[in-house]
Amino acid sequence: MPTRDTTRTATRGNPSTAGSPGTPDTPGDPGPTAAPRARTALRAGRRGEGAWGWLFVSPMVLVLGLFLVLPTLMALWVSLLHWDGQSNPFSGQAKFVGLDNYRTLLTQDGLDRTLFATSLRNNAYYVLLTVPLQTILALTLALIVNQRMLRGRGALRTTYFFPSVTSSIAVSTIFLFLFQGSGAVNTVLSWLGVKGPNWFNDPRGVLSLLLGALGIVDPDHPSGVLAHHSVMGLSWYEWLSGPSVAMCTIILLAVWTTSGTFMLIFLAALQNIPRELEESAAIEGVNRFQMLRYVTLPALRPVLFLVLTLGLISTWQVFDQVYVMGQGAPGNTTLTPAYLSYSTAFGDADFGQGAAIAFLLLALILTMTALQRFALRERGARRLRRNR
């Protein structure tokens, strides 16, 4: 007759007998079917949470779909038509032309392609000058008003931010009075012995004027390779002549009105940097420039990408300042793709080509944003993940 110890040993040696059917479960044991039931309950709970989530976001999804996605798809369809805006674009009255609107803008010689290339050139210079200047100015202002020992920080922040909340139409109108031939800017320049230009009537490129002053090229009669080779209907000289004097005025306006908003973004990021980092760097004996380069700027990398992305998108979409201050004049040197799309659609009643310009601009913005994302990616973090 086996003893009690022998029975326990046999039970331990044969785990299949433990917990088998017919054997009562020990107190507190959840049982063999508890885990599948728990997984089923967890899945049901997640489905319920997902349903409630979609229920709460459905109003915004409906609004975005109705006023953003649907109009975008309609505009994409219009870009494939020759439509004057007087009939239903989804009926047979609008002529379907396929990609002809895009070919006219990109490959076919003519006035349409020349105007589109001119608008791209003007806007490219606008972006190349405005984005760096407004970013540097905003970061500088944020570093200034972030000083703990600075008096009147609240007043300075309000002063710097005030142009950003002012109507762009009102500010543009004020700039028209300031920069006209007999305006305040030229009056101040005359006190310094400088004769100011006729700002909004000067189509000459500032780079060509600088090269002409140095005697390198003749701005009025360019010659050589720059004049005899062209891209999209514009000569190399026209591409490289720089922004016009009128466009430089719009650039000054954009930098002045947008740097306040980006200053607040940088300021919030600066105040979020742990003070221990600055104190540790100060103990190591770094100067202010080293502190900015090795501590502040690396901590601001995500915010810097945000500011540059917002600046890039907004500058490629510039419209209101151009509409008020020049409408493409003088000599189409302030023409931008956004204004060209508007004038083509509503001025020339060619909504198909106007929509095509808008989608080409959208593709350009997405491409530039992707390239900027690639350039500002965190290389050290990617190397670390690869090594892992």
Side-chain angles (χ1 to χ4, degrees):
M1 181 175 183
T3 61
R4 183 175 302 175
D5 295 336
T6 307
T7 305
R8 291 178 180 176
T9 305
T11 304
R12 292 174 184 172
N14 186 11
S16 62
T17 60
S20 59
T23 304
D25 297 332
T26 58
D29 189 4
T33 60
R37 291 177 181 175
R39 286 194 294 268
T40 304
L42 182 60
R43 292 171 184 170
R46 289 178 178 176
R47 286 195 296 267
E49 292 178 358
W52 279 106
W54 279 108
L55 180 62
F56 280 114
V57 302
S58 58
M60 183 54 64
V61 172
L62 182 61
V63 170
L64 290 177
L66 185 60
F67 295 102
L68 181 62
V69 178
L70 184 59
T72 301
L73 295 177
M74 293 175 62
L76 181 61
W77 170 252
V78 170
S79 69
L80 305 177
L81 305 176
H82 180 68
W83 183 51
D84 59 358
Q86 301 297 322
S87 60
N88 186 359
F90 300 99
S91 63
Q93 299 178 1
K95 182 181 179 181
F96 180 80
V97 295
L99 299 178
D100 285 351
N101 291 323
Y102 296 93
R103 295 192 190 97
T104 302
L105 295 171
L106 298 176
T107 61
Q108 295 181 2
D109 293 335
L111 180 60
D112 294 330
R113 191 181 70 164
T114 302
L115 288 177
F116 182 64
T118 303
S119 68
L120 289 179
R121 179 202 62 185
N122 299 335
N123 215 149
Y125 281 114
Y126 180 84
V127 173
L128 290 175
L129 292 176
T130 302
V131 174
L133 288 177
Q134 69 185 8
T135 303
I136 294 173
L137 180 59
L139 180 58
T140 304
L141 294 176
L143 292 172
I144 292 174
V145 299
N146 192 46
Q147 300 295 323
R148 298 183 181 91
M149 303 303 295
L150 181 65
R151 295 183 178 180
R153 290 187 298 170
L156 288 176
R157 294 173 185 175
T158 304
T159 302
Y160 294 149
F161 182 66
F162 184 75
S164 301
V165 298
T166 307
S167 171
S168 60
I169 303 300
V171 176
S172 301
T173 305
I174 293 175
F175 263 64
L176 285 175
F177 287 102
L178 291 176
F179 285 90
Q180 60 181 343
S182 58
V185 174
N186 283 348
T187 301
V188 173
L189 291 177
S190 64
W191 294 345
L192 302 176
V194 178
K195 182 180 180 181
N198 196 354
W199 297 91
F200 294 106
N201 293 315
D202 196 338
R204 297 173 298 173
V206 292
L207 185 57
S208 64
L209 291 177
L210 178 60
L211 295 178
L214 297 176
I216 299 177
V217 297
D218 185 0
D220 298 326
H221 302 285
S223 59
V225 178
L226 295 179
H228 296 93
H229 292 77
S230 63
V231 177
M232 294 182 66
L234 295 182
S235 65
W236 289 6
Y237 177 79
E238 292 175 318
W239 280 102
L240 301 175
S241 60
S244 66
V245 177
M247 179 59 77
C248 289
T249 308
I250 301 178
I251 291 173
L252 291 176
L253 169 64
V255 172
W256 184 64
T257 55
T258 57
S259 58
T261 301
F262 295 141
M263 177 202 69
L264 290 185
I265 298 176
F266 278 125
L267 182 61
L270 288 172
Q271 294 178 351
N272 197 34
I273 297 177
R275 189 174 298 179
E276 292 80 5
L277 293 177
E278 300 178 356
E279 294 176 352
S280 300
I283 293 175
E284 294 294 334
V286 300
N287 54 35
R288 290 189 176 183
F289 177 77
Q290 292 173 334
M291 179 80 72
L292 176 64
R293 181 179 179 182
Y294 296 108
V295 178
T296 305
L297 291 181
L300 294 178
R301 179 186 291 270
V303 178
L304 182 62
F305 170 74
L306 173 65
V307 170
L308 290 176
T309 302
L310 293 177
L312 181 70
I313 295 174
S314 62
T315 50
W316 275 111
Q317 294 178 339
V318 58
F319 174 80
D320 45 359
Q321 296 93 338
V322 174
Y323 181 82
V324 175
M325 302 176 70
Q327 297 187 3
N332 292 325
T333 57
T334 60
L335 185 66
T336 60
Y339 182 78
L340 179 62
S341 175
Y342 164 80
S343 62
T344 302
F346 294 94
D348 301 335
D350 192 351
F351 286 85
Q353 189 170 345
I357 296 173
F359 277 97
L360 289 175
L361 179 59
L362 173 62
L364 179 61
I365 291 175
L366 294 178
T367 303
M368 296 296 294
T369 304
L371 293 176
Q372 181 175 286
R373 174 63 177 172
F374 178 78
L376 295 178
R377 72 192 188 279
E378 297 183 4
R379 297 177 177 85
R382 290 197 171 188
R383 293 196 190 99
L384 181 61
R385 286 195 293 267
R386 290 177 181 175
N387 294 332
R388 289 180 180 177

